[in-house]
Every structure is written in C-alpha cells, then in structure tokens.
Amino acid sequence: MLRRAGYVAGGLVLVAGAVVALRNVDAPSEQNPPPPAPIQTTVKEFVNEAAVAPKPGARPERPANLTLIPGPHRLQVTWAAKTPGYEVQLRGDGDVLRTRLVAGNAMQFDGLENTVEYQVDVRAVDSFGQRSEPSTARKRPSANRPDESRYALVDHFDGPVAPDPARWRLANNAACARMTRGLGDDSRRLVISAACGNESVALRSRTPLQLKDIGGELGRMMIETDCPAKDGSLVLDLVPGPADLIDTSPPPGTLRVKITADSVTLPGADAVAIPPKTGLSVRWELVLRTDGLSLWRDGTKVAASGFVPTWTTATPLFGFTGPPNGLTYIGIDAIGLSSADTPPFVAPPRITSTNISRAANTELMAGVLGGQLRMTVRTTIREQMMPFTVEIAGRAFPARPAVEGHVFAPSYRFPIVADLPADALVLSGDRRELRITVRGANPAISPVVQHAELELIPDPATKPSPNQAEPPPEPAARPALMLASFDTQFLDAAGQKIENNEIMSRSRVVLEVNADGGSAQAGLAGVEIFVDNKRIVGIPTMVDGPAVAGQWRVALNSGAFEPGPHILEVKAVSTDPNVAPGFTNTTWSIPR
C-alpha cells in the first residue's frame, strides 16, 4: 500500500511537473501573456435563414467631366458621377504616388511640384468595391494666384516661420487645439488641428481691420481654406474690441458671416444656398463698402447685404467648428487683410488659471512696460457676475468687457480684458507661467477661463527674455483615416420608413444600412449585422478593392425572431488594421 501510494504520489508529482512545464511553454502568464487576437480586416459572406442579403450588380460607369484645376503646389480634381465612392490616384512618370478613397465628387492633392506634370485617374466605386474603368487627365500645378493687389497684408504661410506669431494667434478652449505648419503634403500650408467637441476655435489677426473709404470700398478680408467640410462651419467675425474667442452670442456691433458647406449668412440678410465645394481649398473674400457687404467664393459673388458697420476698427477672427466627432483638421493656404498696421510684438508667457498656488521661485517678465490680459470666461451659474476681477500673485486688477455695452449671460463665452502694469507680470515656477484667477462680483464664484492671452507692450530700453516665452507647438500631422459613418432604418414592403422601428406584423421587413463618407476615408472590407449578439449577415465589399461608402438593403423575416424588443448592431470592418471598426445599433420590436 505504501509503495502504491508512493507510486501514485510520484505520478501526481510527475503529472504536476508536466502540467507546470506545459504552462511555462504554452499557457499565458504574467511573464508570457497570451498573443493578441488577430485584427479583423476581412468579412466573409454569410446569411442565415432569417435574412436575404444583397449581391453585387453591374459595375459602375466611369466618372465623366474629369477636370484638373491647378494652383500653387496643388491640383484640385472634380468629376461628375453618382456612385457612393471613388478611388483617385496621382501618378508621376507612370508610378502611382498617392491613392485616395473619397465619397464626394472632388478632392485635392497638395505638396506637389509646380514643374512636374501629373496624371490623375478617377474610378467610381460601388457599395461592393466594384470599380469602373478610369477617367484620366494630366496637368501641372501653377504658381499663379488670384489678384491680391487690394490686400495690404497677405500671408501664404510659406516663409521661414509659419505661422508668424506676430501676426496670428490661436484662441481655443483649454488648449484643445494647436496651429502649426503642416507636415508632408501640408508642409506649405498652415494647419489647425483640434479635438474640441462642438466648440469653435478662432484664429485671431493681431493686425486690426481699419476701414477707409477708397472709391466706396471700406475694407476687405480673405481666407483660402478647405473649411468648412461636409459638417462644420467657418465664421468670419469683425469685433469692435479686443476679443479672442466668442460664440453664438457675440459682442454688440460684431459683423458676423457664417459659412457652411451649403449656405452662407450675412448680417441683415437671410441664408443663401450655395452648391457645396467640400474637399477643396476655397478662397472666401468679404468686401465692406459704403453701401453694404458682399461675400465672394473663388471670385464669384455668392451673397450680399445692406449692412454697414458703425465702427472704423475691428479685430478680425476666423472661427472654425469641426464635425460632430469633434476632430478638426483644417488647412489654410492664405489670409489677407486690407490693413497692414501690425502692433509691436513680444512673445507672451504661458498662462494658467488651474494652477494658482504660490511658487517658491518667481520672476518678473523682462523687456515689457505692461500688457493687456485678454480672457474668455464662461459659467452656468445664474448670479450677478459683473464686475470681474483678476488676481495675480496676491494682487487684484479690474477686468471689463472687451466690447463696451456687452452684458454677461450664463452659458455663453464672454470676452473680458484687464490692463496690467509691468510689476504685475509675475512668472511662477519652472515653467515661468503667469498664474491667474478670475472672480465675479461675488468673490466666492470664479467663472471658467476658457482662454487667456497676453498682449505685451515692449520696453525699448530692455530686451525680452526668450526663456520666458511659451514654446511653439510641434507640427501637426493629419489624423488617421476613419471609416464612413453608418446609420440604419427599417422599411416596410412598400419601401416606407417604419417609425420608431415598431414592426406591425410578423412579416418580411427591410433593413437599410447607409454609409456616408467624406473627403478622405479608410477602405471598407465589409459589413456584419448582428441581432442580439448573433451574426445573421456578412457582406464583403472587396470585389476589386475596398469600398468607400454605400447602401445595403437586407430583407429580414421578422417571424423568425421571438416577439418583443431586439438589439440590432451593424459592424463595419476596415481593410486597414490600424483603423478601428465602426458600430451602430438600434432597437426594434416584433409583435406577438
């Protein structure tokens, strides 16, 4: 018995040893974690008994009216077709240099050489990735620009310093955006990259627009940019005061022009519909005259108004709002103003309103006689906030509205300014930052400081210290491509939308899946449909290559599902392993 027990015990030891050895080699542990699951980049065709999936039809027709529009270091490409997506290829000396997948009928290649002739091929792409024969055209970029003789200040952002901080400042909420020279294809452009949700950012000109009657024209401002995209807006503001960041409740006297992809609105006039030009850089020009305003797009007047401002000097702001996902990437090719009187510039320090503790090491700002602190504050508290004060290093300074007569309202951005003497410009800590606190009429209430900027007065007798200036941001790269956005709806046998997804009878219904893209998209490998976490349909979209966007109608037998509510989910899979899949889901209800 003892020998038997010993044998068994020995056997257990041996088996345990074998198990341990196997675990050391094959099983995951803290030292040897399991390999990651492979990233899905394909979709297999699949249909269960409750569904009927669509099939590819005839190949799409080739795009018509292919046109190449040359510009400085760029080619704009437009065509006519009615398919969900397109594949656009740029060739030089026969080689494919770039390939883009787009959902619109226009796109732009930047960063080209003006002396090289390029070939562009455009193929229509349907919902299943089928491609048409290509339409082809050839052209060189052109160094020629539109007439800019009426602008005293023009910046093409192609100098050694771009952007020039003495000319342009960026205002945004809590450093959610940055303004830099672009990289790669955008290296000859100014780029604004932001992740600010639905909040706008503003590019401020330090050069004011000064009105002067010259043959009936008072002044003008211009921007050439690819904003607005399909979603979002571009706003041109002329504010009669030192404001940096405003929103839908602008200061009194502000001249505001709002531009979306398909409309423009001038003060004193109704919105005017315009044909979209998304995916392309567009030159917008606002002309102020003694008899009203006019707005021009690429040399063509698109809107007019009889509005004439009463002020003679204003701060130009170029406001940008991005798409619903909050990610904004804007290319700017040129900005122009009819005025060129730029004030002297001293690079400002970092400013913080979140770190107000006293630092052991402090120093005064060098080379300045004082400055104006420009702030944008906001609060939802419905109490009397005015007058405001600003506290710096234990001292309080009065703050006033940036525009006289502007009354604070809760929830809206409110620009204020405070004049600071030189001895108030105390920089704290190793970061050499100006630490501020803004308080309302009740000192216990502090509004949120969304943005703060310091305009400094140089001291001709001394020089500023470069170590005290806020360092410039790193250049911004283009964001990674994303899949088109998806949505769903249920249709009855007549093709009409079923309201609230409430199926009235246990019969066949149609699930319509729509994917709507933009000017640059990731490739789509396929679509999968799940009901209550069970896959019922897989639709590959890679016949000739990845699809871009599209529409798929799937017939569902509602009688195959249990009565009651069900969760339906659509998953979109990219061909690129670095692109996250897209998901959309909805709830539908089946009667008993």
Side-chain angles (χ1 to χ4, degrees):
M1 289 291 294
L2 289 175
R3 279 198 301 268
R4 183 178 178 85
Y7 173 78
V8 173
L12 288 173
V13 170
L14 290 174
V15 171
V19 171
V20 170
L22 286 173
R23 283 179 178 169
N24 286 340
V25 174
D26 298 321
S29 67
E30 292 184 1
Q31 292 77 26
N32 184 28
I39 298 174
Q40 183 180 0
T41 56
T42 60
V43 171
K44 292 183 178 180
E45 185 175 6
F46 174 81
V47 182
N48 80 350
E49 66 280 358
V52 177
K55 298 284 188 180
R59 293 183 181 278
E61 296 183 1
R62 76 172 71 198
N65 302 331
L66 177 60
T67 303
L68 304 185
I69 305 169
H73 302 288
R74 76 180 183 211
L75 287 174
Q76 295 184 336
V77 189
T78 66
W79 59 90
K82 293 183 178 180
T83 47
Y86 305 91
E87 180 184 76
V88 186
Q89 291 183 323
L90 178 75
R91 295 177 181 270
D93 296 328
D95 297 327
V96 176
L97 303 179
R98 303 175 200 170
T99 299
R100 300 283 189 270
L101 297 176
V102 301
N105 288 46
M107 62 88 57
Q108 180 170 303
F109 288 111
D110 292 292
L112 307 182
E113 296 299 326
N114 289 340
T115 58
V116 175
E117 184 178 67
Y118 296 91
Q119 176 177 312
V120 176
D121 301 334
V122 180
R123 293 174 173 85
V125 181
D126 70 9
S127 303
F128 296 90
Q130 295 186 123
R131 278 147 172 78
S132 71
E133 292 298 317
S135 292
T136 299
R138 299 181 65 89
K139 190 153 285 189
R140 284 185 177 87
S142 171
N144 296 331
R145 300 181 186 273
D147 179 21
E148 297 173 340
S149 60
R150 296 191 179 186
Y151 294 98
L153 184 156
V154 179
D155 197 337
H156 297 128
F157 307 105
D158 52 1
V161 178
D164 183 348
R167 287 182 173 179
W168 316 109
R169 309 298 296 174
L170 183 67
N172 59 97
N173 179 17
C176 65
R178 55 179 171 164
M179 177 173 66
T180 68
R181 186 195 298 275
L183 295 173
D185 298 350
D186 296 319
S187 60
R188 293 184 174 96
R189 311 174 82 196
L190 178 67
V191 165
I192 294 177
S193 177
C196 302
N198 60 358
E199 297 273 28
S200 64
V201 303
L203 187 159
R204 172 174 67 92
S205 168
R206 292 191 67 250
T207 305
L209 184 69
Q210 298 171 327
L211 303 187
K212 184 179 180 181
D213 187 351
I214 302 177
E217 182 172 314
L218 299 174
R220 59 174 58 205
M221 62 190 296
M222 173 271 290
I223 183 169
E224 188 172 308
T225 177
D226 54 17
C227 179
K230 184 177 180 180
D231 299 304
S233 63
L234 167 66
V235 175
L236 311 181
D237 282 320
L238 290 169
V239 186
D244 288 13
L245 192 61
I246 58 179
D247 56 16
T248 55
S249 180
T254 298
L255 190 164
R256 166 163 287 184
V257 174
K258 183 176 181 180
I259 303 168
T260 67
D262 54 12
S263 70
V264 297
T265 307
L266 272 61
D270 295 331
V272 176
I274 56 174
K277 276 192 174 183
T278 55
L280 303 175
S281 287
V282 171
R283 177 165 290 215
W284 296 99
E285 296 178 275
L286 176 63
V287 180
L288 291 74
R289 295 183 55 85
T290 55
D291 56 356
L293 311 172
S294 59
L295 183 68
W296 302 69
R297 181 173 71 170
D298 289 336
T300 300
K301 183 192 290 187
V302 294
S305 164
F307 182 88
V308 178
T310 57
W311 42 259
T312 57
T313 301
T315 300
L317 300 178
F318 301 88
F320 308 94
T321 303
N325 65 13
L327 300 177
T328 304
Y329 184 89
I330 296 160
I332 301 173
D333 302 282
I335 294 180
L337 296 171
S338 56
S339 306
D341 188 11
T342 304
F345 176 71
V346 176
R350 292 184 176 96
I351 303 174
T352 179
S353 62
T354 57
N355 180 12
I356 58 174
S357 60
R358 290 182 177 271
N361 53 325
T362 61
E363 60 188 78
L364 284 176
M365 190 85 189
V368 296
L369 299 175
Q372 184 179 78
L373 184 61
R374 307 161 65 122
M375 298 155 286
T376 299
V377 298
R378 175 187 275 173
T379 182
T380 57
I381 299 174
R382 297 185 176 276
E383 289 192 19
Q384 176 64 32
M385 296 298 297
M386 298 174 66
F388 292 96
T389 56
V390 181
E391 295 179 1
I392 303 173
R395 298 170 64 185
F397 301 90
R400 63 187 183 277
V403 177
E404 186 177 356
H406 196 192
V407 178
F408 177 83
S411 301
Y412 291 102
R413 288 170 168 170
F414 190 71
I416 59 176
V417 296
D419 297 320
L420 304 178
D423 61 0
L425 301 177
V426 179
L427 307 184
S428 300
D430 296 335
R431 288 167 51 88
R432 296 183 172 92
E433 57 191 9
L434 186 72
R435 299 179 179 179
I436 67 172
T437 300
V438 178
R439 301 196 186 279
N442 180 350
I445 299 177
S446 295
V448 175
V449 179
Q450 289 203 316
H451 177 75
E453 175 76 278
L454 189 58
E455 284 285 344
L456 295 164
I457 304 170
D459 182 354
T462 58
K463 291 185 178 181
S465 169
N467 295 328
Q468 294 179 334
E470 182 177 14
E474 293 295 321
R478 279 188 175 268
L481 295 177
M482 300 175 65
L483 288 169
S485 58
F486 278 71
D487 61 48
T488 61
Q489 64 177 349
F490 283 94
L491 308 177
D492 60 21
Q496 300 299 310
K497 180 180 178 181
I498 299 175
E499 297 297 333
N500 302 319
N501 296 343
E502 293 182 356
I503 312 301
M504 303 307 295
S505 63
R506 296 176 64 81
S507 59
R508 177 166 292 185
V509 296
V510 174
L511 171 68
E512 183 179 271
V513 179
N514 292 287
D516 191 11
S519 57
Q521 299 293 151
L524 179 66
V527 176
E528 295 180 325
I529 300 172
F530 300 81
V531 174
D532 299 333
N533 295 321
K534 178 182 178 182
R535 188 174 70 143
I536 62 169
V537 172
I539 305 173
T541 60
M542 283 280 296
V543 174
D544 299 321
V548 182
Q551 182 184 91
W552 304 267
R553 287 188 171 184
V554 178
L556 297 176
N557 179 11
S558 62
F561 300 94
E562 293 292 328
H566 296 271
I567 296 176
L568 184 141
E569 181 180 72
V570 176
K571 177 183 179 182
V573 178
S574 175
T575 55
D576 186 342
N578 298 311
V579 174
F583 294 92
T584 184
N585 59 70
T586 187
T587 300
W588 59 313
S589 182
I590 298 174
R592 295 187 178 276

